[in-house]
Amino acid sequence: MQSPESHARAIAILCCFMAMAGLSCSKADPYIPPDLFYYYASYKVGKNPTTITTADLNHDSNTDLVTTNISSNTLSILLGNGDGSFQEQIQVKVCQEPRALALADFNRDNHSDVVLACSGGDEIALLVGRGNGKFEEGPHYPVHRTPVALATDDLNGDGNPDVVVALRNDKIKVFLGTGTSEFTHGAQYQYGDTPTSVALADLNADGKVDMVVTNGGPMSNAVSIWLGKGDGTFLDPKDYPTGKRPLGVSFADFNNDHLRDLLVINGERDSFTTFLGNGNATFQPGQDSGADAGPISGVTRDFNGDRVLDVAIANLQSNDLSIIFGKGDGTFYYPPRNYRTKAGPFAVALFWVTTKQIEEPGLATADNGDGSVSIFLHRGLKVIAPAAPSNTP
């Protein structure tokens, strides 16, 4: 089957020949997406990586990578060299079936720590960072049951990062940080249908952290907005319909109005949904767009330097990475530019590479079926970072 890019090029060539012959082309010239990335390298990690996260774990100003490897019960740490290459993995034995992680400084020592959603052990687990890329085991806390996603922020204004965990049995659990590498049990909520991801931010500029949860069960297919009270608890949520089986949510500013919008990745019918924010924790109806087969994870950045956010999406079924370029209104140009990955890309993360004193975006995919991380580097176009989204109109 001819790819969308090949089809678009064929139409463009045909129109060119028609113009040379004095004939007009019946349609406007097709859009051909720029080819801004190239495959650079792959690095082995543990078995069946499910997430990939970036951080500077050893304070050398280079981006490092961390993956959760669900089938080998490990984390893989790849220390970055700053030029887009990474050192050989360091595997750390952790809890049973680590499904997701979040990074924060949970003990105020200025080193990144890790909190894990241990789906096979029905618990969350803390790893205390030592600032050199190494970690020590911290406390474990039971949950009921099957944690699949988590996020961290200061929910109660005490200056310590807290944790929210999405549980497979339609529950959301809060853990309040003490600033000493330990947590106390906070509120628990039962709502929705099979929460699949959670994200935290102040959506209405009231100084209180709010929560966004995707509900991926067949009875819901919605993203829920929970307003925070500022004490670690939340008001009853408001739902917005998404595409089929939403799997992940993140924040962006697609229309440059300096308000937070939402990017929701849908696991069925090959779509993702964008919600433009109104600045008061409400959102306009979602707009569905497509990538390739089986989108599962996405990140946003201005990849082509036009001051408009674009989207990079890992597609599990088609084994590729799609770059979809934004129009500046929450919609996108088509077709996307697709890049082949190793088998089963399960997550994608953005990192930075410094070349010739210019920072350029790189992309890393956690390839679940190959036990590896694939690195894609930018071809050198200097990108202009848009202003960070705020919460005020």
Side-chain angles (χ1 to χ4, degrees):
M1 181 181 295
Q2 191 179 40
S3 69
E5 294 91 338
S6 299
H7 182 64
R9 291 192 190 95
I11 294 175
I13 293 171
L14 176 61
C15 287
C16 181
F17 279 117
M18 291 177 67
M20 293 171 62
L23 303 174
S24 61
C25 193
S26 60
K27 294 183 179 180
D29 288 347
Y31 172 74
I32 300 178
D35 184 11
L36 300 183
F37 286 87
Y38 65 96
Y39 169 79
Y40 173 70
S42 288
Y43 298 89
K44 297 304 292 184
V45 294
K47 190 173 181 181
N48 299 123
T50 52
T51 59
I52 184 166
T53 305
T54 62
D56 181 6
L57 300 176
N58 57 355
H59 302 290
D60 64 355
S61 299
N62 297 328
T63 300
D64 309 313
L65 302 177
V66 185
T67 66
T68 53
N69 310 312
I70 196 168
S71 295
S72 57
N73 301 325
T74 62
L75 297 186
S76 288
I77 298 168
L78 291 83
L79 298 179
N81 298 317
D83 59 358
S85 67
F86 294 85
Q87 300 175 32
E88 186 177 345
Q89 66 166 325
I90 302 168
Q91 278 205 49
V92 180
K93 199 73 175 178
V94 292
C95 56
Q96 186 176 354
E97 296 182 9
R99 177 63 179 80
L101 66 83
L103 291 165
D105 181 6
F106 292 109
N107 58 358
R108 296 184 172 184
D109 64 354
N110 296 318
H111 305 318
S112 292
D113 307 310
V114 173
V115 61
L116 289 162
C118 308
S119 60
D122 293 335
E123 63 181 3
I124 67 167
L126 187 70
L127 297 177
V128 180
R130 292 308 177 200
N132 58 0
K134 297 181 180 180
F135 294 87
E136 295 181 4
E137 186 174 5
H140 294 222
Y141 297 88
V143 294
H144 183 75
R145 62 183 167 79
T146 317
V148 295
L150 40 71
T152 180
D153 207 328
D154 181 6
L155 302 180
N156 57 359
D158 65 355
N160 300 317
D162 308 308
V163 174
V164 176
V165 188
L167 306 175
R168 185 65 76 188
N169 60 336
D170 306 340
K171 290 182 175 65
I172 300 293
K173 171 69 176 177
V174 175
F175 288 90
L176 299 176
T178 64
T180 62
S181 299
E182 295 182 348
F183 297 97
T184 61
H185 286 269
Q188 182 166 288
Y189 301 91
Q190 182 157 355
Y191 181 85
D193 184 14
T194 313
T196 51
S197 71
V198 59
L200 299 170
D202 181 0
L203 299 175
N204 57 357
D206 65 353
K208 302 170 185 177
V209 175
D210 307 308
M211 178 170 63
V212 182
V213 179
T214 51
N215 299 289
M219 303 302 293
S220 180
N221 293 316
V223 59
S224 302
I225 310 300
W226 301 67
L227 295 183
K229 295 182 182 181
D231 60 358
T233 65
F234 297 89
L235 299 172
D236 290 341
K238 175 180 174 60
D239 287 353
Y240 291 83
T242 67
K244 192 77 170 176
R245 193 169 167 254
L247 296 176
V249 61
S250 57
F251 301 109
D253 180 10
F254 291 112
N255 57 349
N256 288 334
D257 63 356
H258 307 298
L259 304 175
R260 280 192 174 88
D261 307 321
L262 301 179
L263 170 68
V264 176
I265 308 299
N266 304 310
E268 294 183 10
R269 299 182 183 173
D270 303 337
S271 74
F272 63 93
T273 307
T274 54
F275 294 85
L276 298 182
N278 298 318
N280 59 357
T282 67
F283 294 86
Q284 299 174 33
Q287 302 180 77
D288 285 353
S289 305
D292 210 336
I296 192 169
S297 174
V299 294
T300 59
R301 196 70 191 183
D302 174 14
F303 293 125
N304 59 353
D306 64 355
R307 298 179 184 266
V308 172
L309 283 186
D310 311 308
V311 178
I313 292 182
N315 302 294
L316 179 63
Q317 295 176 15
S318 51
N319 295 318
D320 61 7
L321 178 67
S322 292
I323 312 295
I324 307 101
F325 294 94
K327 294 183 178 181
D329 60 359
T331 64
F332 300 87
Y333 293 102
Y334 279 88
R337 174 68 63 177
N338 294 329
Y339 299 91
R340 195 74 176 172
T341 66
K342 300 293 184 179
F346 213 82
V348 59
L350 178 77
F351 68 97
W352 292 99
V353 179
T354 302
T355 59
K356 300 178 181 178
Q357 306 305 311
I358 297 175
E359 283 194 332
E360 300 164 356
L363 292 166
T365 60
D367 303 321
N368 184 273
D370 189 62
S372 65
V373 166
S374 292
I375 304 298
F376 296 84
L377 299 183
H378 204 276
R379 295 189 185 277
L381 176 66
K382 184 177 180 181
V383 297
I384 305 170
S390 65
N391 308 302
T392 55

